[in-house]
Amino acid sequence: MDSQNPPTFADSDSPLRSFVQPKQNIVKSPYLNFDPDYVAKPEFIFPEGASKQRGRFELAFGQIGASCLIGGAVGGSSGFFKGLKQTTLEGQTGKLRRTQLLNHVMKQGAARANSLGILAVMYSGFGVITSWARGVDDELNTIAAGTATGLLYKATSGLKKCGIGGAVGFGLASLYCFVTSRDRLQNMVSTSFSPA
């Protein structure tokens, strides 16, 4: 090696080669000439002093998208089976049957995706609003958002169904909080009721 051309990471006689490629007989590409210290784990950029956790608003987009995809998959599969049953009963074959199956899949998939997407938008919206209004993101926001979502979703069906929707939302949100935050809830209960 001469002083005019310093060693690169791809040079076979470079002392830095052991960092990039351990002593194995693996052929490396000459295009992998980089310093591995520059490759870091992906991180989110947070303002100074901010918590290193995504808030409800950032999580809302993933929740809404996942709900639409799950609703579309569930609705599409139920539409497929309903379409199979109906086209078999009607004795349809060939292109007509295929068209009817596609119609059932698309109609059921779109309806379920729309319903779950609307529920996710309402839940996320109520969660963001309660988190912003209270200034803290905890399980109470989740329960309030679930209850309000159930109430609003069934608000046009009458008072009784509205109450049932709120109770279902409250139950699902409470179950979710119990499953995901069991340790935190136990600590809250033990510190609240401790005699000391």
Side-chain angles (χ1 to χ4, degrees):
M1 260 190 266
D2 53 88
S3 61
Q4 298 288 336
N5 297 323
T8 64
F9 291 101
D11 289 338
S12 60
D13 57 347
S14 170
L16 302 173
R17 181 128 176 112
S18 61
F19 290 112
V20 176
Q21 179 180 3
K23 295 181 180 181
Q24 297 174 353
N25 291 330
I26 299 173
V27 177
K28 287 282 192 176
S29 169
Y31 299 107
L32 295 177
N33 187 13
F34 68 94
D35 185 358
D37 291 333
Y38 290 131
V39 179
K41 295 179 184 173
E43 294 182 13
F44 295 103
I45 300 173
F46 293 99
E48 190 173 323
S51 65
K52 296 232 175 195
Q53 179 180 351
R54 290 196 234 178
R56 286 184 86 90
F57 186 72
E58 289 86 6
L59 294 174
F61 297 103
Q63 291 172 348
I64 294 166
S67 296
C68 288
L69 288 175
I70 290 169
V74 169
S77 61
S78 72
F80 179 75
F81 289 115
K82 285 181 183 178
L84 274 179
K85 184 178 177 182
Q86 185 176 356
T87 56
T88 303
L89 289 175
E90 293 176 5
Q92 297 174 348
T93 59
K95 291 182 180 180
L96 179 62
R97 183 176 187 181
R98 185 175 57 229
T99 302
Q100 289 297 321
L101 282 174
L102 284 174
N103 288 342
H104 281 281
V105 167
M106 295 304 290
K107 184 177 181 181
Q108 291 289 322
R112 295 289 194 278
N114 190 17
S115 297
L116 274 181
I118 287 170
L119 284 171
V121 167
M122 285 194 290
Y123 170 76
S124 298
F126 284 127
V128 168
I129 289 169
T130 55
S131 178
W132 174 76
R134 294 184 62 230
V136 65
D137 189 16
D138 60 358
E139 288 79 13
L140 186 59
N141 293 346
T142 302
I143 293 172
T147 305
T149 299
L151 288 170
L152 184 62
Y153 188 70
K154 288 295 184 179
T156 59
S157 300
L159 195 57
K160 184 177 179 181
K161 288 189 179 182
C162 180
I164 292 171
V168 168
F170 176 79
L172 289 174
S174 299
L175 181 66
Y176 173 78
C177 287
F178 179 73
V179 169
T180 59
S181 305
R182 186 177 302 158
D183 297 334
R184 188 171 168 187
L185 291 174
Q186 286 176 351
N187 288 340
M188 287 172 54
V189 170
S190 66
T191 56
S192 297
F193 296 112
S194 64

